Every structure is written in structure tokens, then in C-alpha cells.
Amino acid sequence: MADIDAWVWWLIGAAALGIPLVITAMPELGMLAVGAVAGAVTAGMGGGVILQVLVFAVVSCALILVVRPVAARHRAQQPQLATGVEALKGQQAVVVERVDGRGGRVKIGGEIWSARTLDPDAAFDKDHEVDVVDIKGATAIVM
């Protein structure tokens, strides 16, 4: 074991961290693996053991401190493209049959939908343009 260079051990460590990264999808393991590769590069350039460990620690911690919050923000963002009923919210609709708090019909993007008003006391007559506020089941809530 003494005849194996230190950089090889760092690469073995990087691979050992990369395997669970693929299995568990924990990005922190990937950042530690990159730190191990940095340790291997340091060892290959002739750096001592203390410098290798220091480079590993600094690179790994820097990646975790910088990349992890960016990834968390990216994961928390709402999708840019709404699909399905979510895409209908905020759309304009045209009343095809009087709409009030009990019901009616509107045309949204070429499709006829049952509808009711957000305000139970409001009413809209035929050909009036309304805004789709929400979709409840197969009913558009308009105002």
C-alpha cells in the first residue's frame, strides 16, 4: 500500500463519494468528490498531506456554501411554463351564457367551460369579457 501514490487514494475517495451520489442523488456527495479530486491534483503536484487535506476541505466547503443555496433557490422556483388548468388562470374568457354565482358558461381559448362568479352577487351577460381567477374541478371561477 505504501507504493501507491497519494493522488490515487484521493481519486479512489472521489469515486467512493461519486457512487453514493448517483444512488442517493445527494449533491453534497458530489461536492465532496470534487474536493477529493482537488486533493488528488494537489498530491500530484507534490503538495504535502496537510496541504492536500486543507485543499480538500476548502474546496468541498466552498462548493457546499456557494452551490447548495443556489441549487435550493433553483429548486424552489415555480415552473416558468404553466400547463393544464394552471395555464387557464389569469386568462380572459368570453361569456357565452349568463354567468352568476350559481353558474353559466364561458369560452376560454376556444373551449366552452362551465363557470360561476367569484362574487356570488355579481352577474355577467353574454359576450362580456371576464378574467379566469381559478378553476374548481371543471368550473371556471371568473370576475
Side-chain angles (χ1 to χ4, degrees), residues 24-74:
T24 64
M26 288 181 59
E28 293 82 2
L29 292 174
M31 295 172 207
L32 292 173
V34 171
V37 170
V41 170
T42 304
M45 291 173 45
V49 174
I50 294 175
L51 182 60
Q52 294 169 31
V53 172
L54 184 64
V55 167
F56 166 75
V58 168
V59 169
S60 297
C61 289
L63 285 172
I64 289 172
L65 291 173
V66 173
V67 175
R68 194 167 178 234
V70 172
R73 273 195 311 271
H74 181 71

Side-chain angles (χ1 to χ4, degrees), residues 92-96 106 123-131 143:
Q92 291 250 321
V94 177
V95 176
V96 293
V106 294
F124 301 104
D125 291 322
K126 185 177 179 187
D127 295 328
H128 191 88
E129 286 192 7
V130 293
D131 294 318
M143 62 179 267

Side-chain angles (χ1 to χ4, degrees), residues 56-140:
F56 166 75
V58 168
V59 169
S60 297
C61 289
L63 285 172
I64 289 172
L65 291 173
V66 173
V67 175
R68 194 167 178 234
V70 172
R73 273 195 311 271
H74 181 71
R75 228 183 345 234
Q77 285 180 339
Q78 293 292 330
Q80 298 288 352
L81 180 63
T83 59
V85 294
E86 291 298 317
L88 297 176
K89 295 178 184 178
Q91 293 285 326
Q92 291 250 321
V94 177
V95 176
V96 293
E97 183 182 299
R98 180 180 165 88
V99 177
D100 56 27
R102 291 175 295 174
R105 294 204 178 279
V106 294
K107 188 173 194 175
I108 310 170
E111 296 180 344
I112 304 296
W113 281 73
S114 60
R116 66 179 171 81
T117 58
L118 179 63
D119 178 4
D121 297 326
F124 301 104
D125 291 322
K126 185 177 179 187
D127 295 328
H128 191 88
E129 286 192 7
V130 293
D131 294 318
V132 178
V133 180
D134 198 7
I135 303 289
K136 299 279 188 191
T139 303

